[in-house]
Amino acid sequence: MRFKNKGLQLFQGKPLIYHIFKKLQRHTDAIYISCNQDIDTYEHYAPTIQDHSSQKLGPLAGMSAAFRHLDHQWIGFLPCDSPGIPDSLFSALEGKRDDAPVVMVKTPTRTHPVFCLINRKIGDELFSYLVAGERRLHHVLTSHPHLYITFPDHGFTNINTLDDLQA
């Protein structure tokens, strides 16, 4: 994205975060945004959580920060760059939470660990992985009991370039 804040880039005339927020809003009122920049802008949508790192440590840092700041037993996560996620994602994740402390999404072509639901007993350990230098989210999550929910590919396409925003 050429050093631009991905969540604030326009897709179909609205910021990417807007599309995610509107989908989430249909399923929960407990919405938080993990971000380390443009905090005032993101707070127009929902309260924000920062990982307070000067480094870009990736999704694992944001997830760890969420468990340090919130007292929910389960926290769901998804990235801001996949506005096509199916509405059934939320109920599918929720419906499997009694089966494993980590529930993730996979499609026929790959796994998508950033689309997940994590229990606090795992979430509280995330910070120790960061301190140890681990950044690979899939590696961390699959080191615990977990399961996948399978979806078709089309809803989990990431927007990673400015050209993708025009597609």
Side-chain angles (χ1 to χ4, degrees):
M1 289 281 174
R2 298 185 190 129
F3 305 105
K4 295 183 182 215
N5 191 321
K6 190 187 286 192
L8 300 179
Q9 298 310 301
L10 297 183
F11 176 73
Q12 299 177 348
K14 303 274 188 191
L16 281 169
I17 193 66
Y18 169 86
H19 298 279
I20 298 299
F21 178 77
K22 284 300 184 187
K23 286 204 177 194
L24 279 171
Q25 197 174 38
R26 290 182 232 155
H27 300 277
T28 182
D29 57 357
I31 301 171
Y32 300 87
I33 299 172
S34 172
C35 63
N36 288 327
Q37 56 188 5
D38 299 311
I39 294 164
D40 291 340
T41 303
Y42 280 114
E43 285 186 340
H44 289 288
Y45 296 97
T48 60
I49 296 171
Q50 292 81 47
D51 64 36
H52 298 291
S53 171
S54 60
Q55 303 171 34
K56 295 195 184 261
L57 300 178
L60 191 57
M63 292 174 173
S64 173
F67 279 102
R68 288 193 319 273
H69 288 86
L70 303 172
D71 61 359
H72 302 292
Q73 187 63 29
W74 288 88
I75 300 179
F77 298 94
L78 57 136
C80 68
D81 63 357
S82 297
I85 55 171
D87 277 333
S88 60
L89 169 67
F90 309 103
S91 60
L93 289 170
E94 182 79 15
K96 292 294 184 179
R97 74 180 194 178
D98 290 336
D99 298 338
V102 176
V103 184
M104 294 177 278
V105 168
K106 73 175 180 175
T107 60
T109 58
R110 63 179 290 225
T111 60
H112 299 273
V114 292
F115 297 92
C116 63
L117 184 64
I118 303 174
N119 186 279
R120 173 161 297 284
K121 64 183 171 184
I122 304 301
D124 287 341
E125 297 176 17
L126 298 180
F127 186 70
S128 62
Y129 285 100
L130 285 170
V131 170
E134 184 61 65
R135 303 291 179 267
R136 298 170 296 163
L137 179 60
H138 188 252
H139 174 76
V140 169
L141 296 181
T142 57
S143 69
H144 299 282
H146 63 281
L147 59 84
Y148 295 101
I149 297 174
T150 304
F151 281 92
D153 281 315
H154 68 276
F156 298 90
T157 302
N158 295 71
I159 293 178
N160 291 315
T161 69
L162 294 174
D163 289 339
D164 292 342
L165 289 167
Q166 308 309 315

Short mmCIF file of all heavy atoms in Angstrom, two decimals, residues 21-86:
data_model
loop_
_atom_site.label_atom_id
_atom_site.label_comp_id
_atom_site.label_asym_id
_atom_site.label_seq_id
_atom_site.Cartn_x
_atom_site.Cartn_y
_atom_site.Cartn_z
N PHE A 21 -16.49 -2.98 9.77
CA PHE A 21 -17.29 -2.51 10.90
C PHE A 21 -18.78 -2.79 10.67
O PHE A 21 -19.48 -3.29 11.56
CB PHE A 21 -17.05 -1.03 11.15
CG PHE A 21 -17.88 -0.47 12.25
CD1 PHE A 21 -17.54 -0.70 13.58
CD2 PHE A 21 -19.01 0.28 11.99
CE1 PHE A 21 -18.30 -0.21 14.62
CE2 PHE A 21 -19.79 0.79 13.01
CZ PHE A 21 -19.44 0.54 14.33
N LYS A 22 -19.27 -2.50 9.48
CA LYS A 22 -20.70 -2.70 9.19
C LYS A 22 -21.07 -4.18 9.28
O LYS A 22 -22.15 -4.52 9.76
CB LYS A 22 -21.07 -2.13 7.81
CG LYS A 22 -21.17 -0.62 7.82
CD LYS A 22 -22.22 -0.19 8.81
CE LYS A 22 -22.46 1.28 8.83
NZ LYS A 22 -23.36 1.71 9.89
N LYS A 23 -20.19 -5.07 8.82
CA LYS A 23 -20.48 -6.50 8.93
C LYS A 23 -20.46 -6.95 10.39
O LYS A 23 -21.34 -7.69 10.83
CB LYS A 23 -19.49 -7.32 8.12
CG LYS A 23 -19.75 -7.20 6.65
CD LYS A 23 -19.22 -8.36 5.88
CE LYS A 23 -19.62 -8.14 4.44
NZ LYS A 23 -19.46 -9.30 3.63
N LEU A 24 -19.49 -6.50 11.13
CA LEU A 24 -19.39 -6.88 12.55
C LEU A 24 -20.56 -6.35 13.36
O LEU A 24 -21.07 -7.02 14.25
CB LEU A 24 -18.09 -6.34 13.16
CG LEU A 24 -16.84 -7.14 12.91
CD1 LEU A 24 -15.62 -6.37 13.39
CD2 LEU A 24 -16.93 -8.48 13.62
N GLN A 25 -20.96 -5.14 13.05
CA GLN A 25 -22.03 -4.48 13.79
C GLN A 25 -23.33 -5.28 13.77
O GLN A 25 -24.13 -5.19 14.70
CB GLN A 25 -22.25 -3.09 13.18
CG GLN A 25 -23.00 -2.14 14.03
CD GLN A 25 -23.03 -0.76 13.39
OE1 GLN A 25 -23.16 -0.63 12.17
NE2 GLN A 25 -22.92 0.26 14.21
N ARG A 26 -23.54 -6.10 12.75
CA ARG A 26 -24.74 -6.93 12.67
C ARG A 26 -24.70 -8.10 13.66
O ARG A 26 -25.71 -8.74 13.90
CB ARG A 26 -24.89 -7.49 11.27
CG ARG A 26 -25.25 -6.45 10.25
CD ARG A 26 -25.44 -7.09 8.89
NE ARG A 26 -24.60 -6.34 7.97
CZ ARG A 26 -24.12 -6.80 6.85
NH1 ARG A 26 -24.36 -8.03 6.49
NH2 ARG A 26 -23.40 -6.04 6.08
N HIS A 27 -23.50 -8.38 14.21
CA HIS A 27 -23.33 -9.58 15.04
C HIS A 27 -22.94 -9.30 16.49
O HIS A 27 -23.11 -10.16 17.34
CB HIS A 27 -22.28 -10.49 14.40
CG HIS A 27 -22.67 -10.92 13.02
ND1 HIS A 27 -23.52 -11.97 12.79
CD2 HIS A 27 -22.36 -10.41 11.81
CE1 HIS A 27 -23.70 -12.10 11.48
NE2 HIS A 27 -23.01 -11.17 10.87
N THR A 28 -22.37 -8.13 16.75
CA THR A 28 -21.92 -7.83 18.11
C THR A 28 -21.82 -6.32 18.31
O THR A 28 -21.65 -5.58 17.35
CB THR A 28 -20.55 -8.48 18.41
OG1 THR A 28 -20.19 -8.20 19.77
CG2 THR A 28 -19.46 -7.94 17.49
N ASP A 29 -21.94 -5.91 19.54
CA ASP A 29 -21.68 -4.51 19.85
C ASP A 29 -20.34 -4.35 20.56
O ASP A 29 -19.94 -3.25 20.90
CB ASP A 29 -22.81 -3.89 20.66
CG ASP A 29 -23.07 -4.63 21.96
OD1 ASP A 29 -22.42 -5.66 22.22
OD2 ASP A 29 -23.94 -4.18 22.72
N ALA A 30 -19.64 -5.43 20.76
CA ALA A 30 -18.31 -5.40 21.39
C ALA A 30 -17.25 -5.41 20.30
O ALA A 30 -16.63 -6.43 20.03
CB ALA A 30 -18.13 -6.58 22.34
N ILE A 31 -17.07 -4.27 19.65
CA ILE A 31 -16.12 -4.14 18.55
C ILE A 31 -14.97 -3.25 19.01
O ILE A 31 -15.21 -2.17 19.55
CB ILE A 31 -16.78 -3.53 17.30
CG1 ILE A 31 -17.95 -4.41 16.84
CG2 ILE A 31 -15.76 -3.34 16.18
CD1 ILE A 31 -18.80 -3.78 15.75
N TYR A 32 -13.76 -3.70 18.76
CA TYR A 32 -12.56 -2.93 19.06
C TYR A 32 -11.64 -3.00 17.85
O TYR A 32 -11.64 -3.99 17.13
CB TYR A 32 -11.83 -3.50 20.28
CG TYR A 32 -12.69 -3.48 21.52
CD1 TYR A 32 -13.55 -4.53 21.80
CD2 TYR A 32 -12.66 -2.39 22.38
CE1 TYR A 32 -14.36 -4.51 22.92
CE2 TYR A 32 -13.47 -2.37 23.50
CZ TYR A 32 -14.32 -3.43 23.76
OH TYR A 32 -15.12 -3.40 24.86
N ILE A 33 -10.86 -1.97 17.66
CA ILE A 33 -9.94 -1.92 16.53
C ILE A 33 -8.52 -1.87 17.06
O ILE A 33 -8.18 -0.99 17.85
CB ILE A 33 -10.21 -0.70 15.63
CG1 ILE A 33 -11.64 -0.78 15.08
CG2 ILE A 33 -9.18 -0.62 14.51
CD1 ILE A 33 -12.09 0.46 14.34
N SER A 34 -7.70 -2.80 16.62
CA SER A 34 -6.28 -2.80 16.96
C SER A 34 -5.55 -1.95 15.93
O SER A 34 -5.57 -2.27 14.74
CB SER A 34 -5.75 -4.24 16.95
OG SER A 34 -4.35 -4.23 17.09
N CYS A 35 -4.94 -0.87 16.39
CA CYS A 35 -4.21 0.02 15.48
C CYS A 35 -3.15 0.78 16.27
O CYS A 35 -3.27 0.94 17.48
CB CYS A 35 -5.15 0.98 14.78
SG CYS A 35 -6.00 2.12 15.90
N ASN A 36 -2.13 1.21 15.56
CA ASN A 36 -1.07 1.99 16.19
C ASN A 36 -0.87 3.35 15.55
O ASN A 36 0.03 4.09 15.93
CB ASN A 36 0.26 1.21 16.16
CG ASN A 36 0.24 0.04 17.11
OD1 ASN A 36 -0.38 0.11 18.16
ND2 ASN A 36 0.90 -1.02 16.74
N GLN A 37 -1.69 3.67 14.57
CA GLN A 37 -1.62 4.98 13.93
C GLN A 37 -3.03 5.40 13.52
O GLN A 37 -3.93 4.57 13.47
CB GLN A 37 -0.69 4.95 12.73
CG GLN A 37 -1.05 3.90 11.71
CD GLN A 37 0.01 3.77 10.62
OE1 GLN A 37 1.05 4.39 10.68
NE2 GLN A 37 -0.27 2.95 9.63
N ASP A 38 -3.20 6.67 13.26
CA ASP A 38 -4.51 7.21 12.89
C ASP A 38 -5.60 6.81 13.90
O ASP A 38 -6.74 6.53 13.54
CB ASP A 38 -4.91 6.76 11.48
CG ASP A 38 -3.92 7.26 10.43
OD1 ASP A 38 -3.60 8.46 10.46
OD2 ASP A 38 -3.47 6.44 9.60
N ILE A 39 -5.22 6.81 15.15
CA ILE A 39 -6.11 6.35 16.22
C ILE A 39 -7.40 7.18 16.27
O ILE A 39 -8.50 6.62 16.39
CB ILE A 39 -5.37 6.37 17.57
CG1 ILE A 39 -4.24 5.33 17.52
CG2 ILE A 39 -6.31 6.12 18.73
CD1 ILE A 39 -3.20 5.49 18.59
N ASP A 40 -7.29 8.50 16.15
CA ASP A 40 -8.49 9.34 16.20
C ASP A 40 -9.48 8.99 15.09
O ASP A 40 -10.69 8.99 15.32
CB ASP A 40 -8.10 10.82 16.09
CG ASP A 40 -7.37 11.32 17.32
OD1 ASP A 40 -7.48 10.67 18.38
OD2 ASP A 40 -6.68 12.35 17.22
N THR A 41 -8.97 8.68 13.92
CA THR A 41 -9.85 8.31 12.80
C THR A 41 -10.53 6.98 13.07
O THR A 41 -11.75 6.84 12.88
CB THR A 41 -9.04 8.25 11.49
OG1 THR A 41 -8.41 9.52 11.28
CG2 THR A 41 -9.95 7.92 10.31
N TYR A 42 -9.78 6.00 13.52
CA TYR A 42 -10.37 4.69 13.81
C TYR A 42 -11.39 4.76 14.95
O TYR A 42 -12.37 4.02 14.95
CB TYR A 42 -9.29 3.66 14.14
CG TYR A 42 -8.60 3.11 12.92
CD1 TYR A 42 -7.26 3.36 12.68
CD2 TYR A 42 -9.29 2.31 12.01
CE1 TYR A 42 -6.63 2.84 11.56
CE2 TYR A 42 -8.68 1.79 10.90
CZ TYR A 42 -7.34 2.06 10.67
OH TYR A 42 -6.72 1.54 9.57
N GLU A 43 -11.18 5.66 15.89
CA GLU A 43 -12.10 5.76 17.02
C GLU A 43 -13.47 6.29 16.62
O GLU A 43 -14.40 6.22 17.41
CB GLU A 43 -11.48 6.56 18.16
CG GLU A 43 -10.44 5.73 18.88
CD GLU A 43 -9.86 6.38 20.12
OE1 GLU A 43 -9.94 7.62 20.27
OE2 GLU A 43 -9.30 5.63 20.94
N HIS A 44 -13.61 6.78 15.39
CA HIS A 44 -14.94 7.15 14.89
C HIS A 44 -15.79 5.90 14.69
O HIS A 44 -17.02 5.98 14.67
CB HIS A 44 -14.84 7.93 13.57
CG HIS A 44 -14.30 9.30 13.73
ND1 HIS A 44 -15.01 10.32 14.32
CD2 HIS A 44 -13.09 9.82 13.41
CE1 HIS A 44 -14.28 11.42 14.34
NE2 HIS A 44 -13.10 11.14 13.79
N TYR A 45 -15.13 4.75 14.54
CA TYR A 45 -15.83 3.48 14.33
C TYR A 45 -16.01 2.69 15.62
O TYR A 45 -17.07 2.15 15.86
CB TYR A 45 -15.08 2.63 13.30
CG TYR A 45 -15.04 3.27 11.95
CD1 TYR A 45 -13.92 4.00 11.54
CD2 TYR A 45 -16.11 3.17 11.07
CE1 TYR A 45 -13.89 4.61 10.29
CE2 TYR A 45 -16.09 3.80 9.83
CZ TYR A 45 -14.96 4.51 9.45
OH TYR A 45 -14.93 5.12 8.23
N ALA A 46 -14.95 2.61 16.40
CA ALA A 46 -15.01 1.79 17.62
C ALA A 46 -13.80 2.15 18.51
O ALA A 46 -12.84 2.74 18.03
CB ALA A 46 -14.94 0.30 17.25
N PRO A 47 -13.85 1.78 19.78
CA PRO A 47 -12.69 2.00 20.65
C PRO A 47 -11.46 1.27 20.07
O PRO A 47 -11.59 0.23 19.43
CB PRO A 47 -13.10 1.37 21.98
CG PRO A 47 -14.59 1.29 21.93
CD PRO A 47 -14.96 1.12 20.49
N THR A 48 -10.30 1.84 20.31
CA THR A 48 -9.08 1.26 19.76
C THR A 48 -8.20 0.67 20.85
O THR A 48 -8.30 1.03 22.02
CB THR A 48 -8.26 2.33 19.01
OG1 THR A 48 -7.91 3.36 19.91
CG2 THR A 48 -9.03 2.88 17.83
N ILE A 49 -7.38 -0.27 20.42
CA ILE A 49 -6.40 -0.91 21.29
C ILE A 49 -5.06 -0.80 20.58
O ILE A 49 -4.96 -1.11 19.39
CB ILE A 49 -6.75 -2.40 21.52
CG1 ILE A 49 -8.07 -2.51 22.28
CG2 ILE A 49 -5.62 -3.11 22.26
CD1 ILE A 49 -8.61 -3.92 22.36
N GLN A 50 -4.05 -0.35 21.29
CA GLN A 50 -2.71 -0.24 20.72
C GLN A 50 -1.79 -1.25 21.40
O GLN A 50 -1.93 -1.53 22.59
CB GLN A 50 -2.12 1.16 20.92
CG GLN A 50 -2.84 2.23 20.13
CD GLN A 50 -4.10 2.70 20.82
OE1 GLN A 50 -4.12 2.98 22.00
NE2 GLN A 50 -5.19 2.76 20.07
N ASP A 51 -0.82 -1.76 20.62
CA ASP A 51 0.14 -2.68 21.22
C ASP A 51 1.36 -1.93 21.77
O ASP A 51 2.23 -2.52 22.39
CB ASP A 51 0.55 -3.80 20.27
CG ASP A 51 1.28 -3.32 19.04
OD1 ASP A 51 2.07 -2.37 19.11
OD2 ASP A 51 1.07 -3.93 17.97
N HIS A 52 1.42 -0.62 21.56
CA HIS A 52 2.46 0.26 22.11
C HIS A 52 3.87 -0.18 21.75
O HIS A 52 4.80 0.03 22.51
CB HIS A 52 2.31 0.41 23.64
CG HIS A 52 1.01 1.03 24.01
ND1 HIS A 52 0.70 2.34 23.76
CD2 HIS A 52 -0.10 0.50 24.60
CE1 HIS A 52 -0.52 2.61 24.17
NE2 HIS A 52 -1.02 1.50 24.69
N SER A 53 4.02 -0.77 20.60
CA SER A 53 5.34 -1.15 20.13
C SER A 53 5.77 -0.18 19.03
O SER A 53 4.96 0.20 18.19
CB SER A 53 5.33 -2.57 19.57
OG SER A 53 6.55 -2.85 18.93
N SER A 54 7.02 0.20 19.05
CA SER A 54 7.53 1.06 17.99
C SER A 54 7.84 0.24 16.74
O SER A 54 8.05 0.77 15.67
CB SER A 54 8.78 1.80 18.45
OG SER A 54 9.79 0.86 18.79
N GLN A 55 7.85 -1.08 16.89
CA GLN A 55 8.10 -1.97 15.76
C GLN A 55 6.77 -2.44 15.18
O GLN A 55 5.76 -2.42 15.86
CB GLN A 55 8.89 -3.20 16.22
CG GLN A 55 10.18 -2.86 16.90
CD GLN A 55 10.79 -4.11 17.53
OE1 GLN A 55 10.65 -5.20 17.01
NE2 GLN A 55 11.45 -3.93 18.65
N LYS A 56 6.78 -2.87 13.95
CA LYS A 56 5.58 -3.46 13.34
C LYS A 56 5.66 -4.96 13.57
O LYS A 56 6.32 -5.67 12.84
CB LYS A 56 5.51 -3.10 11.87
CG LYS A 56 5.34 -1.61 11.66
CD LYS A 56 4.92 -1.31 10.25
CE LYS A 56 4.85 0.18 10.06
NZ LYS A 56 3.58 0.74 10.15
N LEU A 57 4.97 -5.42 14.62
CA LEU A 57 5.08 -6.81 15.04
C LEU A 57 3.99 -7.70 14.46
O LEU A 57 3.96 -8.89 14.73
CB LEU A 57 5.10 -6.90 16.56
CG LEU A 57 6.24 -6.15 17.25
CD1 LEU A 57 6.10 -6.26 18.76
CD2 LEU A 57 7.58 -6.67 16.79
N GLY A 58 3.07 -7.14 13.71
CA GLY A 58 2.07 -7.94 13.04
C GLY A 58 0.85 -8.27 13.88
O GLY A 58 0.66 -7.77 14.99
N PRO A 59 0.00 -9.14 13.33
CA PRO A 59 -1.28 -9.47 13.99
C PRO A 59 -1.13 -10.04 15.40
O PRO A 59 -1.97 -9.79 16.26
CB PRO A 59 -1.91 -10.50 13.07
CG PRO A 59 -1.21 -10.38 11.77
CD PRO A 59 0.14 -9.82 12.05
N LEU A 60 -0.08 -10.79 15.62
CA LEU A 60 0.11 -11.40 16.94
C LEU A 60 0.19 -10.33 18.03
O LEU A 60 -0.35 -10.49 19.12
CB LEU A 60 1.36 -12.28 16.94
CG LEU A 60 1.58 -13.18 18.14
CD1 LEU A 60 0.40 -14.11 18.36
CD2 LEU A 60 2.87 -13.97 17.96
N ALA A 61 0.83 -9.21 17.73
CA ALA A 61 0.94 -8.12 18.70
C ALA A 61 -0.42 -7.51 19.00
O ALA A 61 -0.75 -7.23 20.16
CB ALA A 61 1.90 -7.06 18.20
N GLY A 62 -1.23 -7.31 17.98
CA GLY A 62 -2.56 -6.76 18.19
C GLY A 62 -3.45 -7.70 18.98
O GLY A 62 -4.22 -7.28 19.85
N MET A 63 -3.34 -8.99 18.71
CA MET A 63 -4.12 -9.97 19.44
C MET A 63 -3.70 -10.04 20.90
O MET A 63 -4.54 -10.08 21.80
CB MET A 63 -3.99 -11.35 18.78
CG MET A 63 -4.64 -11.42 17.43
SD MET A 63 -4.28 -13.00 16.64
CE MET A 63 -5.33 -12.91 15.21
N SER A 64 -2.42 -10.01 21.13
CA SER A 64 -1.91 -10.02 22.50
C SER A 64 -2.40 -8.78 23.26
O SER A 64 -2.84 -8.88 24.40
CB SER A 64 -0.37 -10.06 22.48
OG SER A 64 0.13 -9.90 23.77
N ALA A 65 -2.36 -7.63 22.61
CA ALA A 65 -2.83 -6.39 23.24
C ALA A 65 -4.32 -6.48 23.57
O ALA A 65 -4.75 -6.02 24.63
CB ALA A 65 -2.56 -5.20 22.33
N ALA A 66 -5.09 -7.09 22.70
CA ALA A 66 -6.54 -7.23 22.96
C ALA A 66 -6.78 -8.04 24.23
O ALA A 66 -7.60 -7.65 25.07
CB ALA A 66 -7.23 -7.90 21.77
N PHE A 67 -6.05 -9.12 24.40
CA PHE A 67 -6.24 -9.92 25.62
C PHE A 67 -5.73 -9.20 26.87
O PHE A 67 -6.24 -9.42 27.96
CB PHE A 67 -5.59 -11.30 25.47
CG PHE A 67 -6.45 -12.26 24.71
CD1 PHE A 67 -6.19 -12.55 23.38
CD2 PHE A 67 -7.57 -12.84 25.31
CE1 PHE A 67 -7.01 -13.43 22.67
CE2 PHE A 67 -8.39 -13.71 24.61
CZ PHE A 67 -8.11 -14.00 23.28
N ARG A 68 -4.75 -8.32 26.72
CA ARG A 68 -4.27 -7.56 27.88
C ARG A 68 -5.24 -6.45 28.26
O ARG A 68 -5.30 -6.05 29.42
CB ARG A 68 -2.88 -6.98 27.60
CG ARG A 68 -1.79 -8.05 27.60
CD ARG A 68 -0.36 -7.48 27.64
NE ARG A 68 -0.11 -6.32 26.82
CZ ARG A 68 0.24 -6.36 25.53
NH1 ARG A 68 0.37 -7.51 24.91
NH2 ARG A 68 0.47 -5.25 24.87
N HIS A 69 -6.01 -5.94 27.31
CA HIS A 69 -6.89 -4.80 27.57
C HIS A 69 -8.36 -5.18 27.82
O HIS A 69 -9.10 -4.40 28.40
CB HIS A 69 -6.83 -3.82 26.40
CG HIS A 69 -5.54 -3.08 26.33
ND1 HIS A 69 -4.43 -3.56 25.69
CD2 HIS A 69 -5.19 -1.89 26.85
CE1 HIS A 69 -3.44 -2.70 25.80
NE2 HIS A 69 -3.88 -1.68 26.50
N LEU A 70 -8.78 -6.32 27.34
CA LEU A 70 -10.18 -6.71 27.46
C LEU A 70 -10.30 -7.90 28.41
O LEU A 70 -9.37 -8.67 28.56
CB LEU A 70 -10.74 -7.10 26.08
CG LEU A 70 -10.63 -6.02 25.00
CD1 LEU A 70 -11.04 -6.59 23.65
CD2 LEU A 70 -11.47 -4.81 25.36
N ASP A 71 -11.45 -8.04 29.02
CA ASP A 71 -11.61 -9.16 29.94
C ASP A 71 -12.59 -10.22 29.42
O ASP A 71 -13.11 -11.02 30.16
CB ASP A 71 -12.03 -8.69 31.33
CG ASP A 71 -13.37 -7.96 31.35
OD1 ASP A 71 -13.98 -7.79 30.26
OD2 ASP A 71 -13.81 -7.57 32.44
N HIS A 72 -12.81 -10.24 28.12
CA HIS A 72 -13.69 -11.23 27.51
C HIS A 72 -13.05 -12.62 27.55
O HIS A 72 -11.84 -12.75 27.40
CB HIS A 72 -13.99 -10.86 26.06
CG HIS A 72 -14.61 -9.51 25.92
ND1 HIS A 72 -15.88 -9.21 26.37
CD2 HIS A 72 -14.14 -8.37 25.38
CE1 HIS A 72 -16.15 -7.95 26.11
NE2 HIS A 72 -15.11 -7.41 25.51
N GLN A 73 -13.87 -13.64 27.72
CA GLN A 73 -13.38 -15.02 27.72
C GLN A 73 -12.96 -15.46 26.31
O GLN A 73 -12.02 -16.21 26.13
CB GLN A 73 -14.45 -15.97 28.27
CG GLN A 73 -13.98 -17.38 28.46
CD GLN A 73 -12.87 -17.50 29.50
OE1 GLN A 73 -12.78 -16.71 30.44
NE2 GLN A 73 -12.00 -18.48 29.33
N TRP A 74 -13.68 -15.01 25.32
CA TRP A 74 -13.40 -15.31 23.92
C TRP A 74 -13.28 -14.01 23.15
O TRP A 74 -14.08 -13.09 23.36
CB TRP A 74 -14.53 -16.13 23.30
CG TRP A 74 -14.60 -17.53 23.77
CD1 TRP A 74 -15.27 -18.00 24.87
CD2 TRP A 74 -13.95 -18.67 23.18
NE1 TRP A 74 -15.09 -19.35 24.98
CE2 TRP A 74 -14.29 -19.79 23.96
CE3 TRP A 74 -13.13 -18.84 22.07
CZ2 TRP A 74 -13.83 -21.06 23.65
CZ3 TRP A 74 -12.69 -20.10 21.76
CH2 TRP A 74 -13.04 -21.20 22.56
N ILE A 75 -12.31 -13.93 22.25
CA ILE A 75 -12.17 -12.75 21.39
C ILE A 75 -12.01 -13.24 19.95
O ILE A 75 -11.20 -14.11 19.66
CB ILE A 75 -10.98 -11.87 21.79
CG1 ILE A 75 -11.15 -11.37 23.24
CG2 ILE A 75 -10.86 -10.68 20.83
CD1 ILE A 75 -10.00 -10.50 23.74
N GLY A 76 -12.82 -12.65 19.07
CA GLY A 76 -12.72 -12.95 17.64
C GLY A 76 -11.87 -11.90 16.96
O GLY A 76 -11.86 -10.73 17.36
N PHE A 77 -11.15 -12.33 15.94
CA PHE A 77 -10.25 -11.42 15.21
C PHE A 77 -10.47 -11.58 13.71
O PHE A 77 -10.73 -12.68 13.23
CB PHE A 77 -8.79 -11.75 15.52
CG PHE A 77 -8.43 -11.57 16.96
CD1 PHE A 77 -8.50 -12.64 17.84
CD2 PHE A 77 -8.04 -10.34 17.45
CE1 PHE A 77 -8.17 -12.49 19.18
CE2 PHE A 77 -7.71 -10.17 18.78
CZ PHE A 77 -7.78 -11.26 19.64
N LEU A 78 -10.35 -10.47 13.00
CA LEU A 78 -10.32 -10.51 11.56
C LEU A 78 -9.62 -9.26 11.06
O LEU A 78 -9.61 -8.23 11.74
CB LEU A 78 -11.72 -10.63 10.96
CG LEU A 78 -12.74 -9.59 11.32
CD1 LEU A 78 -13.50 -9.17 10.06
CD2 LEU A 78 -13.72 -10.22 12.29
N PRO A 79 -9.00 -9.35 9.89
CA PRO A 79 -8.26 -8.21 9.36
C PRO A 79 -9.19 -7.21 8.70
O PRO A 79 -10.33 -7.53 8.36
CB PRO A 79 -7.32 -8.86 8.34
CG PRO A 79 -8.10 -10.03 7.84
CD PRO A 79 -8.88 -10.54 9.04
N CYS A 80 -8.69 -6.02 8.49
CA CYS A 80 -9.50 -4.97 7.87
C CYS A 80 -9.46 -5.03 6.35
O CYS A 80 -10.15 -4.27 5.69
CB CYS A 80 -9.04 -3.59 8.34
SG CYS A 80 -7.40 -3.13 7.74
N ASP A 81 -8.65 -5.93 5.78
CA ASP A 81 -8.44 -5.91 4.33
C ASP A 81 -9.19 -7.00 3.57
O ASP A 81 -8.83 -7.34 2.46
CB ASP A 81 -6.95 -5.98 4.02
CG ASP A 81 -6.30 -7.27 4.50
OD1 ASP A 81 -6.97 -8.10 5.13
OD2 ASP A 81 -5.09 -7.42 4.25
N SER A 82 -10.24 -7.52 4.14
CA SER A 82 -11.05 -8.55 3.48
C SER A 82 -12.52 -8.21 3.59
O SER A 82 -13.28 -8.84 4.35
CB SER A 82 -10.77 -9.93 4.09
OG SER A 82 -9.44 -10.31 3.88
N PRO A 83 -12.98 -7.21 2.85
CA PRO A 83 -14.36 -6.75 3.00
C PRO A 83 -15.42 -7.74 2.51
O PRO A 83 -16.59 -7.56 2.78
CB PRO A 83 -14.40 -5.46 2.18
CG PRO A 83 -13.32 -5.63 1.17
CD PRO A 83 -12.24 -6.43 1.85
N GLY A 84 -15.01 -8.81 1.84
CA GLY A 84 -15.97 -9.75 1.30
C GLY A 84 -16.30 -10.93 2.20
O GLY A 84 -16.94 -11.89 1.76
N ILE A 85 -15.91 -10.86 3.46
CA ILE A 85 -16.15 -11.99 4.35
C ILE A 85 -17.63 -12.32 4.43
O ILE A 85 -18.47 -11.42 4.44
CB ILE A 85 -15.58 -11.75 5.77
CG1 ILE A 85 -16.14 -10.47 6.36
CG2 ILE A 85 -14.07 -11.77 5.76
CD1 ILE A 85 -15.81 -10.26 7.81
N PRO A 86 -17.96 -13.60 4.47
CA PRO A 86 -19.37 -13.98 4.54
C PRO A 86 -19.97 -13.70 5.91
O PRO A 86 -19.29 -13.81 6.94
CB PRO A 86 -19.35 -15.48 4.25
CG PRO A 86 -17.97 -15.93 4.62
CD PRO A 86 -17.06 -14.76 4.39
#
